[in-house]
Amino acid sequence: MSSVKTTVRNSVFCLALFAIASCTTQFRNHGYAPTDDELAEVIVGVDTRDTVFDLFGKPTSTGVVEGSGYYYVSSKFRHYGPFEPKAVDRQLVAISFDEVGVVANVERFTLEDGRVVPLSRRVTDSSVENSTFLRQLLGNIGQFDAGQFIGEG
């Protein structure tokens, strides 16, 4: 009888320990953005695309227009238990170039600077928003002709 109690107690203890550990906040980092000290090495009007590439590596993204700029993005997400991950920090470094490929501007943006911009949005109005299934089913009574079933009409 004592061994059963010990087994149950150990099982409950392990389950509680697992539950506590699974709800621990975890942080995950994604991407890379140069620090301010690293950006101090970039000289506006002197450095080129190649020197920036040599300093920081391949950018996260480039501008849509060929030769428009380099973008380095880093994000930090907080994961907590079963909840959706939440972005707690985001750094975007935008390095723009002039027509000949020389650095024209260096900017840093953070999560606070940003705003949500929908890049693509397709919305279809639904005529069934406030209708129950039964109301839709009964609402179709009398809306059809028997000739439609036999191919006349």
Side-chain angles (χ1 to χ4, degrees):
M1 186 74 165
S2 176
S3 66
V4 172
K5 279 184 169 180
T6 304
T7 304
V8 169
R9 188 176 344 136
N10 289 341
S11 298
V12 169
F13 176 74
C14 289
L15 184 62
L17 187 63
F18 177 73
I20 290 170
S22 65
C23 290
T24 302
T25 301
Q26 296 179 357
F27 292 96
R28 298 226 172 117
N29 297 314
H30 301 275
Y32 165 75
T35 64
D36 289 334
D37 293 336
E38 293 172 326
L39 288 174
E41 296 179 29
V42 176
I43 302 169
V44 177
V46 175
D47 283 319
T48 64
R49 286 181 188 285
D50 294 332
T51 58
V52 170
F53 188 87
D54 291 341
L55 282 172
F56 307 129
K58 183 178 178 183
T60 305
S61 181
T62 58
V64 176
V65 178
E66 186 177 330
S68 63
Y70 284 172
Y71 302 97
Y72 295 90
V73 182
S74 71
S75 299
K76 183 176 187 178
F77 291 92
R78 183 186 70 194
H79 295 261
Y80 182 72
F83 301 108
E84 180 178 348
K86 182 179 180 184
V88 293
D89 184 36
R90 181 168 297 128
Q91 301 286 320
L92 181 133
V93 174
I95 301 174
S96 54
F97 302 95
D98 61 13
E99 302 82 31
V100 293
V102 176
V103 175
N105 195 11
V106 178
E107 297 176 282
R108 177 182 298 278
F109 300 98
T110 63
L111 189 61
E112 291 80 25
D113 297 327
R115 58 190 164 113
V116 177
V117 178
L119 297 178
S120 176
R121 187 172 188 180
R122 295 183 180 143
V123 178
T124 304
D125 291 333
S126 174
S127 62
V128 296
E129 288 177 11
N130 294 322
S131 296
T132 63
F133 173 74
L134 194 56
R135 179 173 285 177
Q136 292 174 37
L137 185 65
L138 296 176
N140 287 328
I141 294 177
Q143 299 294 324
F144 58 88
D145 182 19
Q148 291 174 336
F149 290 109
I150 58 174
E152 300 174 3

